[in-house]
Amino acid sequence: MAEINILSPHVADLIAAGEVVERPASVVKELMENAFDAGAHMVTVEMKDGGATYLRVSDDGKGMAPEDAGVAFLRHATSKLHDEAGLEAIGTMGFRGEALAAISAVSEVELTTRRRGDDSGTFMTLTAGEIQDMTETGCPEGTVMTVKSIFFNTPARLKFLKSDRAEASACVSAALRCALGRPEISVRLIRDGKEEFFSPGDGKPESAVYSLLGRDLARDLLPVGGEDGDMRVHGFASSPAAGRGNRAAQFFYCNGRFIRSQLLQSAVEQAYKNTLLVGRFPACVIWLELSNAGVDVNVHPAKTEVKFSQEKRVFDLVYHAVLAALTDENRTGLAQPKPAAAARPAAPAAPAARPAPRPDFYRSMSAETFRAQGYTAGPAPKIKPQAQETVLRSYDMPYQTRLDLPHGAPVEPVRPQAPENTGVSGFSTSKIVENPVQNVEKPTIPDHKIVGEALKLYIIVEVDGELLLIDKHAAHERMIFDRLKSQDRAVMAQTLLESVTLRLTEEDREIIEANGELLSELGFEIEPFGENDYILRAVPADMESGDAAAAVEEILEKLRGGKAPDPRSARDEILHTVACKAAIKAGWDTDRAELQRIVDAVLSGSVKYCPHGRPVSVTVTRRDLDKLFKRIV
Ligand code: ADP
Ligand code: MG
């Protein structure tokens, strides 16, 4: 007897369902994407328990005619793709015609739909993919899809569902990711009868971010924008001081579709190098728009993974756009007008942002690893900075300051227009970042008074009716680091009057040898001496000779610890150490002129974070003090 069977369509559907419907959250995503594709302006998602018992998505989209409703649940039934040629230019979220077939195969579905302009609608029920009932009905235009008892006929899958709480939170994340991708669509999520979130759908990216991610996160975001030929990126990235403990607040979208992308994650994170504390992650919402041919979404059924045809260009575009946003922040900072500026002009009409959703950190790979595998940011592409978009902190009225925020004020800096393309290679982002001071014509330093220095560490400055506390070591460290990093020539070395002998292990010797050229370029002269020893003859001129041996030990430790997988990060790590050792320290007496130089650098906005990402200054407002003294409540 023949051994090979052709599976029945029902069994084939059950198998296919596994790819599309992993858990209730996948149903939320698929139904929302269908609503979006139907041109809905308002979408409501309702869920009960963990979502497996009850999910309902209602939209005011174009609805379905009875004859379409009848076939919508068949496999490969789609109105979005007609032939092979269409596959090259998918502009909708769906196109495989699989979701409804897969969902209905493992659940009980009720559909109510009315095509726009039709007199009446259609009501249908399905169980395990079989139509049970189909009648004409009166209902509003649009579609309501109710999915109940998910996995009722596949007990093995049901068993794999996590607790209701975990499943529910996966549904909420899925809905949020979808909603965040489409600022022009209003999405409401109701969980167990209570509203979980609501996005206004006014088309403004900042409204979507504020309503979906919340005010605390939104207020720390800086606008990002850039363009390179037919590629465009816009969105937001957090200020370095607002780093987070994980990547859960990183959202990437490509043509409206939420995607997971190590490439984009790495591009964003690299832009924070030297400003974000180690182990902290930026938050971001990045909307990328490419021509449909520039990206292949047909890599996985859930379509959260995509393939860019020009990865390097995409990487560079995002990297430089984020870098420019952070640089802008550095250049504005404190030199800007104070709270009165909170009332900002209305946001410009949002671009027809298409987009859709997603975030996760389990597929994470550090920026370093990613780069080690082949990516480093190339020269800045011809990024055309976007017109300024409203910064989210403008939502923060009434004005309120938090003591724990560096530069605490939700002051709304008026961002200077990024420089226009200056010719050959567009504006050079790297230059702006590596030497901010040089790039700004003449930094404006607001009027101020240095009140004094406290605890031999904190400089107290009165500026614009507020107190600014500056960590003199952190600020000075940053100044030295920026200066060293921006200079092309070799760092000036000073010969030590008494050279230092270093006894090194085999491993350290290899490290020294491998990095010999770099070390000497950065001012360290280290020569072999006898069998095991090395002699340190010179160190960077900024450094005290007494710190020399400790500095080399620290550098070796970093290079040993794999903190510097490539020459560029090795250079940065070494400069960190040099800057830290060369900077004035807490506890030292510092003369007035030196303090003034530091204050000027901070007030000009060129120094905001130490090279490890710690803030160099904190603002205490009059209001903060009045509160402390209970003058106001
Ligand atoms: P796909 O989205 O890949 O086309 P689906 O199985 O998700 O496949 O949906 C099948 C078809 O059903 C869609 O192509 C569309 O024509 C129709 N459809 C599904 N949901 C809706 C909706 N909310 N409003 C209007 N039409 C819908
Ligand atoms: Mg679909």
mmCIF file of all heavy atoms in Angstrom, residues 212-256:
data_model
loop_
_atom_site.group_PDB
_atom_site.id
_atom_site.type_symbol
_atom_site.label_atom_id
_atom_site.label_comp_id
_atom_site.label_asym_id
_atom_site.label_seq_id
_atom_site.Cartn_x
_atom_site.Cartn_y
_atom_site.Cartn_z
ATOM 1 N N LEU A 212 0.968 56.472 23.440
ATOM 2 C CA LEU A 212 1.200 55.027 23.543
ATOM 3 C C LEU A 212 2.358 54.669 24.473
ATOM 4 O O LEU A 212 2.315 53.657 25.159
ATOM 5 C CB LEU A 212 1.454 54.442 22.152
ATOM 6 C CG LEU A 212 0.237 54.518 21.227
ATOM 7 C CD1 LEU A 212 0.627 54.252 19.784
ATOM 8 C CD2 LEU A 212 -0.826 53.517 21.683
ATOM 9 N N LEU A 213 3.385 55.491 24.469
ATOM 10 C CA LEU A 213 4.543 55.139 25.292
ATOM 11 C C LEU A 213 4.563 55.899 26.609
ATOM 12 O O LEU A 213 5.343 55.584 27.499
ATOM 13 C CB LEU A 213 5.838 55.387 24.526
ATOM 14 C CG LEU A 213 5.965 54.604 23.218
ATOM 15 C CD1 LEU A 213 7.300 54.874 22.550
ATOM 16 C CD2 LEU A 213 5.780 53.112 23.445
ATOM 17 N N GLY A 214 3.718 56.900 26.700
ATOM 18 C CA GLY A 214 3.607 57.595 27.978
ATOM 19 C C GLY A 214 4.509 58.809 28.055
ATOM 20 O O GLY A 214 5.489 58.932 27.357
ATOM 21 N N ARG A 215 4.118 59.664 28.973
ATOM 22 C CA ARG A 215 4.767 60.944 29.078
ATOM 23 C C ARG A 215 6.214 60.847 29.556
ATOM 24 O O ARG A 215 7.099 61.550 29.077
ATOM 25 C CB ARG A 215 3.932 61.753 30.062
ATOM 26 C CG ARG A 215 4.525 62.964 30.582
ATOM 27 C CD ARG A 215 3.582 63.493 31.629
ATOM 28 N NE ARG A 215 4.399 63.924 32.735
ATOM 29 C CZ ARG A 215 4.193 65.072 33.362
ATOM 30 N NH1 ARG A 215 3.209 65.839 32.999
ATOM 31 N NH2 ARG A 215 4.961 65.419 34.338
ATOM 32 N N ASP A 216 6.473 59.938 30.491
ATOM 33 C CA ASP A 216 7.823 59.887 31.029
ATOM 34 C C ASP A 216 8.826 59.557 29.961
ATOM 35 O O ASP A 216 9.893 60.138 29.876
ATOM 36 C CB ASP A 216 7.908 58.841 32.151
ATOM 37 C CG ASP A 216 7.309 59.384 33.429
ATOM 38 O OD1 ASP A 216 6.985 60.595 33.441
ATOM 39 O OD2 ASP A 216 7.163 58.609 34.387
ATOM 40 N N LEU A 217 8.462 58.577 29.151
ATOM 41 C CA LEU A 217 9.390 58.202 28.092
ATOM 42 C C LEU A 217 9.434 59.293 27.028
ATOM 43 O O LEU A 217 10.489 59.714 26.577
ATOM 44 C CB LEU A 217 8.946 56.872 27.487
ATOM 45 C CG LEU A 217 10.009 56.153 26.668
ATOM 46 C CD1 LEU A 217 9.729 54.661 26.665
ATOM 47 C CD2 LEU A 217 10.083 56.638 25.249
ATOM 48 N N ALA A 218 8.258 59.781 26.672
ATOM 49 C CA ALA A 218 8.186 60.740 25.571
ATOM 50 C C ALA A 218 8.986 61.996 25.853
ATOM 51 O O ALA A 218 9.599 62.559 24.961
ATOM 52 C CB ALA A 218 6.727 61.095 25.294
ATOM 53 N N ARG A 219 9.005 62.409 27.110
ATOM 54 C CA ARG A 219 9.664 63.673 27.371
ATOM 55 C C ARG A 219 11.183 63.598 27.197
ATOM 56 O O ARG A 219 11.855 64.613 27.116
ATOM 57 C CB ARG A 219 9.303 64.175 28.747
ATOM 58 C CG ARG A 219 10.014 63.434 29.838
ATOM 59 C CD ARG A 219 10.277 64.374 30.982
ATOM 60 N NE ARG A 219 9.750 63.854 32.208
ATOM 61 C CZ ARG A 219 9.054 64.583 33.052
ATOM 62 N NH1 ARG A 219 8.752 65.801 32.773
ATOM 63 N NH2 ARG A 219 8.658 64.059 34.173
ATOM 64 N N ASP A 220 11.707 62.409 27.172
ATOM 65 C CA ASP A 220 13.152 62.289 26.997
ATOM 66 C C ASP A 220 13.556 62.044 25.551
ATOM 67 O O ASP A 220 14.709 61.740 25.268
ATOM 68 C CB ASP A 220 13.681 61.133 27.858
ATOM 69 C CG ASP A 220 13.565 61.452 29.333
ATOM 70 O OD1 ASP A 220 13.774 62.625 29.680
ATOM 71 O OD2 ASP A 220 13.262 60.549 30.118
ATOM 72 N N LEU A 221 12.598 62.124 24.654
ATOM 73 C CA LEU A 221 12.927 61.799 23.266
ATOM 74 C C LEU A 221 13.305 63.031 22.448
ATOM 75 O O LEU A 221 12.757 64.112 22.629
ATOM 76 C CB LEU A 221 11.743 61.094 22.601
ATOM 77 C CG LEU A 221 11.388 59.728 23.186
ATOM 78 C CD1 LEU A 221 10.185 59.137 22.473
ATOM 79 C CD2 LEU A 221 12.564 58.771 23.100
ATOM 80 N N LEU A 222 14.234 62.812 21.557
ATOM 81 C CA LEU A 222 14.674 63.878 20.648
ATOM 82 C C LEU A 222 14.265 63.480 19.237
ATOM 83 O O LEU A 222 14.334 62.308 18.886
ATOM 84 C CB LEU A 222 16.204 63.977 20.674
ATOM 85 C CG LEU A 222 16.834 64.120 22.055
ATOM 86 C CD1 LEU A 222 18.318 63.806 22.000
ATOM 87 C CD2 LEU A 222 16.605 65.537 22.540
ATOM 88 N N PRO A 223 13.865 64.433 18.438
ATOM 89 C CA PRO A 223 13.448 64.088 17.076
ATOM 90 C C PRO A 223 14.626 63.681 16.193
ATOM 91 O O PRO A 223 15.709 64.241 16.295
ATOM 92 C CB PRO A 223 12.814 65.368 16.547
ATOM 93 C CG PRO A 223 13.132 66.426 17.517
ATOM 94 C CD PRO A 223 13.731 65.848 18.741
ATOM 95 N N VAL A 224 14.367 62.687 15.382
ATOM 96 C CA VAL A 224 15.394 62.160 14.480
ATOM 97 C C VAL A 224 14.861 62.294 13.059
ATOM 98 O O VAL A 224 13.681 62.035 12.816
ATOM 99 C CB VAL A 224 15.600 60.656 14.775
ATOM 100 C CG1 VAL A 224 16.475 60.000 13.715
ATOM 101 C CG2 VAL A 224 16.195 60.447 16.158
ATOM 102 N N GLY A 225 15.681 62.681 12.147
ATOM 103 C CA GLY A 225 15.202 62.715 10.756
ATOM 104 C C GLY A 225 16.362 62.734 9.787
ATOM 105 O O GLY A 225 17.416 63.296 10.076
ATOM 106 N N GLY A 226 16.179 62.096 8.669
ATOM 107 C CA GLY A 226 17.227 62.123 7.650
ATOM 108 C C GLY A 226 16.730 61.487 6.374
ATOM 109 O O GLY A 226 15.692 60.820 6.353
ATOM 110 N N GLU A 227 17.474 61.728 5.322
ATOM 111 C CA GLU A 227 17.067 61.253 4.012
ATOM 112 C C GLU A 227 18.299 60.900 3.228
ATOM 113 O O GLU A 227 19.325 61.564 3.348
ATOM 114 C CB GLU A 227 16.367 62.410 3.293
ATOM 115 C CG GLU A 227 15.021 62.081 2.731
ATOM 116 C CD GLU A 227 14.381 63.336 2.181
ATOM 117 O OE1 GLU A 227 14.810 63.790 1.108
ATOM 118 O OE2 GLU A 227 13.488 63.856 2.852
ATOM 119 N N ASP A 228 18.218 59.868 2.453
ATOM 120 C CA ASP A 228 19.317 59.552 1.549
ATOM 121 C C ASP A 228 18.685 58.998 0.281
ATOM 122 O O ASP A 228 18.235 57.856 0.259
ATOM 123 C CB ASP A 228 20.250 58.531 2.210
ATOM 124 C CG ASP A 228 21.368 58.098 1.269
ATOM 125 O OD1 ASP A 228 21.650 58.839 0.298
ATOM 126 O OD2 ASP A 228 21.956 57.018 1.500
ATOM 127 N N GLY A 229 18.630 59.806 -0.733
ATOM 128 C CA GLY A 229 18.003 59.367 -1.980
ATOM 129 C C GLY A 229 16.564 58.976 -1.728
ATOM 130 O O GLY A 229 15.791 59.745 -1.155
ATOM 131 N N ASP A 230 16.211 57.737 -2.087
ATOM 132 C CA ASP A 230 14.824 57.320 -1.912
ATOM 133 C C ASP A 230 14.553 56.750 -0.530
ATOM 134 O O ASP A 230 13.494 56.198 -0.267
ATOM 135 C CB ASP A 230 14.465 56.288 -2.997
ATOM 136 C CG ASP A 230 15.412 55.093 -2.947
ATOM 137 O OD1 ASP A 230 16.392 55.142 -2.153
ATOM 138 O OD2 ASP A 230 15.189 54.129 -3.687
ATOM 139 N N MET A 231 15.524 56.863 0.374
ATOM 140 C CA MET A 231 15.307 56.336 1.723
ATOM 141 C C MET A 231 15.069 57.498 2.678
ATOM 142 O O MET A 231 15.734 58.516 2.603
ATOM 143 C CB MET A 231 16.553 55.639 2.240
ATOM 144 C CG MET A 231 16.967 54.452 1.467
ATOM 145 S SD MET A 231 18.423 53.795 2.298
ATOM 146 C CE MET A 231 18.750 52.431 1.221
ATOM 147 N N ARG A 232 14.171 57.262 3.602
ATOM 148 C CA ARG A 232 13.890 58.322 4.547
ATOM 149 C C ARG A 232 13.736 57.717 5.932
ATOM 150 O O ARG A 232 13.183 56.632 6.081
ATOM 151 C CB ARG A 232 12.582 58.997 4.119
ATOM 152 C CG ARG A 232 12.065 59.973 5.096
ATOM 153 C CD ARG A 232 10.958 60.835 4.507
ATOM 154 N NE ARG A 232 10.603 61.788 5.531
ATOM 155 C CZ ARG A 232 9.490 61.719 6.263
ATOM 156 N NH1 ARG A 232 8.611 60.765 6.048
ATOM 157 N NH2 ARG A 232 9.246 62.602 7.191
ATOM 158 N N VAL A 233 14.256 58.413 6.936
ATOM 159 C CA VAL A 233 14.049 57.943 8.296
ATOM 160 C C VAL A 233 13.521 59.104 9.124
ATOM 161 O O VAL A 233 13.910 60.253 8.918
ATOM 162 C CB VAL A 233 15.357 57.382 8.902
ATOM 163 C CG1 VAL A 233 16.425 58.457 9.037
ATOM 164 C CG2 VAL A 233 15.107 56.759 10.263
ATOM 165 N N HIS A 234 12.581 58.832 9.996
ATOM 166 C CA HIS A 234 12.187 59.836 10.970
ATOM 167 C C HIS A 234 11.750 59.122 12.231
ATOM 168 O O HIS A 234 11.591 57.905 12.248
ATOM 169 C CB HIS A 234 11.105 60.769 10.414
ATOM 170 C CG HIS A 234 9.762 60.138 10.274
ATOM 171 N ND1 HIS A 234 8.653 60.604 10.907
ATOM 172 C CD2 HIS A 234 9.356 59.059 9.580
ATOM 173 C CE1 HIS A 234 7.619 59.856 10.608
ATOM 174 N NE2 HIS A 234 8.011 58.912 9.801
ATOM 175 N N GLY A 235 11.608 59.874 13.298
ATOM 176 C CA GLY A 235 11.220 59.252 14.555
ATOM 177 C C GLY A 235 11.855 59.960 15.723
ATOM 178 O O GLY A 235 12.084 61.170 15.662
ATOM 179 N N PHE A 236 12.148 59.212 16.759
ATOM 180 C CA PHE A 236 12.658 59.796 17.987
ATOM 181 C C PHE A 236 13.672 58.864 18.635
ATOM 182 O O PHE A 236 13.582 57.650 18.495
ATOM 183 C CB PHE A 236 11.507 60.008 18.982
ATOM 184 C CG PHE A 236 10.412 60.872 18.435
ATOM 185 C CD1 PHE A 236 9.302 60.302 17.821
ATOM 186 C CD2 PHE A 236 10.506 62.248 18.500
ATOM 187 C CE1 PHE A 236 8.294 61.099 17.295
ATOM 188 C CE2 PHE A 236 9.508 63.048 17.975
ATOM 189 C CZ PHE A 236 8.396 62.478 17.377
ATOM 190 N N ALA A 237 14.599 59.466 19.350
ATOM 191 C CA ALA A 237 15.558 58.661 20.106
ATOM 192 C C ALA A 237 15.777 59.359 21.441
ATOM 193 O O ALA A 237 15.720 60.585 21.522
ATOM 194 C CB ALA A 237 16.864 58.548 19.338
ATOM 195 N N SER A 238 16.029 58.571 22.479
ATOM 196 C CA SER A 238 16.081 59.165 23.810
ATOM 197 C C SER A 238 17.369 59.929 24.023
ATOM 198 O O SER A 238 18.400 59.614 23.437
ATOM 199 C CB SER A 238 15.954 58.079 24.881
ATOM 200 O OG SER A 238 16.947 57.105 24.705
ATOM 201 N N SER A 239 17.310 60.895 24.885
ATOM 202 C CA SER A 239 18.524 61.621 25.208
ATOM 203 C C SER A 239 19.398 60.654 26.016
ATOM 204 O O SER A 239 18.887 59.794 26.732
ATOM 205 C CB SER A 239 18.191 62.896 25.970
ATOM 206 O OG SER A 239 18.343 62.680 27.344
ATOM 207 N N PRO A 240 20.713 60.779 25.898
ATOM 208 C CA PRO A 240 21.586 59.789 26.537
ATOM 209 C C PRO A 240 21.354 59.653 28.033
ATOM 210 O O PRO A 240 21.531 58.582 28.588
ATOM 211 C CB PRO A 240 22.992 60.329 26.244
ATOM 212 C CG PRO A 240 22.828 61.154 25.009
ATOM 213 C CD PRO A 240 21.460 61.758 25.102
ATOM 214 N N ALA A 241 20.919 60.722 28.675
ATOM 215 C CA ALA A 241 20.718 60.624 30.116
ATOM 216 C C ALA A 241 19.546 59.727 30.460
ATOM 217 O O ALA A 241 19.382 59.311 31.588
ATOM 218 C CB ALA A 241 20.470 62.012 30.680
ATOM 219 N N ALA A 242 18.718 59.414 29.465
ATOM 220 C CA ALA A 242 17.518 58.630 29.743
ATOM 221 C C ALA A 242 17.690 57.179 29.311
ATOM 222 O O ALA A 242 16.730 56.533 28.926
ATOM 223 C CB ALA A 242 16.327 59.271 29.043
ATOM 224 N N GLY A 243 18.902 56.679 29.361
ATOM 225 C CA GLY A 243 19.139 55.285 28.988
ATOM 226 C C GLY A 243 18.307 54.354 29.850
ATOM 227 O O GLY A 243 17.953 54.679 30.975
ATOM 228 N N ARG A 244 17.981 53.197 29.309
ATOM 229 C CA ARG A 244 17.131 52.256 30.028
ATOM 230 C C ARG A 244 17.858 50.941 30.253
ATOM 231 O O ARG A 244 18.879 50.688 29.638
ATOM 232 C CB ARG A 244 15.843 52.030 29.240
ATOM 233 C CG ARG A 244 15.200 53.351 28.869
ATOM 234 C CD ARG A 244 14.079 53.173 27.900
ATOM 235 N NE ARG A 244 12.897 52.613 28.529
ATOM 236 C CZ ARG A 244 12.014 53.335 29.197
ATOM 237 N NH1 ARG A 244 12.157 54.617 29.302
ATOM 238 N NH2 ARG A 244 10.972 52.751 29.741
ATOM 239 N N GLY A 245 17.283 50.132 31.126
ATOM 240 C CA GLY A 245 17.954 48.885 31.485
ATOM 241 C C GLY A 245 17.841 47.790 30.439
ATOM 242 O O GLY A 245 18.533 46.782 30.499
ATOM 243 N N ASN A 246 16.942 47.940 29.477
ATOM 244 C CA ASN A 246 16.824 46.927 28.429
ATOM 245 C C ASN A 246 16.345 47.601 27.143
ATOM 246 O O ASN A 246 16.227 48.816 27.081
ATOM 247 C CB ASN A 246 15.859 45.808 28.855
ATOM 248 C CG ASN A 246 14.472 46.357 29.142
ATOM 249 O OD1 ASN A 246 13.961 47.213 28.419
ATOM 250 N ND2 ASN A 246 13.859 45.874 30.204
ATOM 251 N N ARG A 247 16.095 46.756 26.143
ATOM 252 C CA ARG A 247 15.746 47.328 24.842
ATOM 253 C C ARG A 247 14.236 47.341 24.580
ATOM 254 O O ARG A 247 13.813 47.489 23.445
ATOM 255 C CB ARG A 247 16.417 46.521 23.725
ATOM 256 C CG ARG A 247 17.920 46.555 23.779
ATOM 257 C CD ARG A 247 18.507 46.004 22.488
ATOM 258 N NE ARG A 247 19.925 46.239 22.434
ATOM 259 C CZ ARG A 247 20.836 45.387 22.882
ATOM 260 N NH1 ARG A 247 20.464 44.227 23.401
ATOM 261 N NH2 ARG A 247 22.114 45.686 22.809
ATOM 262 N N ALA A 248 13.457 47.161 25.648
ATOM 263 C CA ALA A 248 12.015 47.031 25.423
ATOM 264 C C ALA A 248 11.399 48.281 24.796
ATOM 265 O O ALA A 248 10.342 48.219 24.200
ATOM 266 C CB ALA A 248 11.314 46.714 26.746
ATOM 267 N N ALA A 249 12.053 49.412 24.947
ATOM 268 C CA ALA A 249 11.467 50.634 24.375
ATOM 269 C C ALA A 249 12.131 51.014 23.051
ATOM 270 O O ALA A 249 12.197 52.170 22.699
ATOM 271 C CB ALA A 249 11.561 51.780 25.374
ATOM 272 N N GLN A 250 12.598 50.026 22.335
ATOM 273 C CA GLN A 250 13.129 50.300 20.996
ATOM 274 C C GLN A 250 12.127 49.776 19.971
ATOM 275 O O GLN A 250 11.789 48.601 19.979
ATOM 276 C CB GLN A 250 14.479 49.607 20.797
ATOM 277 C CG GLN A 250 15.558 50.154 21.714
ATOM 278 C CD GLN A 250 16.930 49.567 21.444
ATOM 279 O OE1 GLN A 250 17.073 48.637 20.652
ATOM 280 N NE2 GLN A 250 17.932 50.102 22.106
ATOM 281 N N PHE A 251 11.656 50.653 19.126
ATOM 282 C CA PHE A 251 10.651 50.276 18.132
ATOM 283 C C PHE A 251 11.160 50.642 16.749
ATOM 284 O O PHE A 251 11.493 51.795 16.504
ATOM 285 C CB PHE A 251 9.334 51.013 18.394
ATOM 286 C CG PHE A 251 8.719 50.696 19.732
ATOM 287 C CD1 PHE A 251 9.105 51.386 20.868
ATOM 288 C CD2 PHE A 251 7.772 49.690 19.852
ATOM 289 C CE1 PHE A 251 8.550 51.093 22.106
ATOM 290 C CE2 PHE A 251 7.199 49.391 21.081
ATOM 291 C CZ PHE A 251 7.590 50.090 22.206
ATOM 292 N N PHE A 252 11.185 49.658 15.882
ATOM 293 C CA PHE A 252 11.637 49.915 14.515
ATOM 294 C C PHE A 252 10.532 49.561 13.521
ATOM 295 O O PHE A 252 9.901 48.508 13.647
ATOM 296 C CB PHE A 252 12.871 49.072 14.190
ATOM 297 C CG PHE A 252 14.036 49.385 15.078
ATOM 298 C CD1 PHE A 252 14.384 48.539 16.119
ATOM 299 C CD2 PHE A 252 14.776 50.535 14.876
ATOM 300 C CE1 PHE A 252 15.449 48.829 16.954
ATOM 301 C CE2 PHE A 252 15.852 50.844 15.701
ATOM 302 C CZ PHE A 252 16.186 49.994 16.743
ATOM 303 N N TYR A 253 10.333 50.428 12.561
ATOM 304 C CA TYR A 253 9.308 50.204 11.548
ATOM 305 C C TYR A 253 9.893 50.386 10.172
ATOM 306 O O TYR A 253 10.711 51.281 9.954
ATOM 307 C CB TYR A 253 8.166 51.219 11.714
ATOM 308 C CG TYR A 253 7.437 51.035 13.011
ATOM 309 C CD1 TYR A 253 7.876 51.651 14.172
ATOM 310 C CD2 TYR A 253 6.322 50.213 13.077
ATOM 311 C CE1 TYR A 253 7.228 51.460 15.377
ATOM 312 C CE2 TYR A 253 5.661 50.015 14.275
ATOM 313 C CZ TYR A 253 6.122 50.634 15.423
ATOM 314 O OH TYR A 253 5.472 50.430 16.611
ATOM 315 N N CYS A 254 9.476 49.548 9.259
ATOM 316 C CA CYS A 254 9.882 49.749 7.875
ATOM 317 C C CYS A 254 8.606 49.811 7.042
ATOM 318 O O CYS A 254 7.814 48.865 7.058
ATOM 319 C CB CYS A 254 10.776 48.610 7.424
ATOM 320 S SG CYS A 254 11.265 48.796 5.719
ATOM 321 N N ASN A 255 8.416 50.886 6.369
ATOM 322 C CA ASN A 255 7.209 51.096 5.572
ATOM 323 C C ASN A 255 5.956 50.731 6.356
ATOM 324 O O ASN A 255 5.082 50.014 5.872
ATOM 325 C CB ASN A 255 7.271 50.271 4.281
ATOM 326 C CG ASN A 255 8.347 50.804 3.352
ATOM 327 O OD1 ASN A 255 8.862 51.893 3.565
ATOM 328 N ND2 ASN A 255 8.677 50.043 2.330
ATOM 329 N N GLY A 256 5.906 51.184 7.587
ATOM 330 C CA GLY A 256 4.709 50.985 8.383
ATOM 331 C C GLY A 256 4.648 49.656 9.092
ATOM 332 O O GLY A 256 3.726 49.385 9.853
#
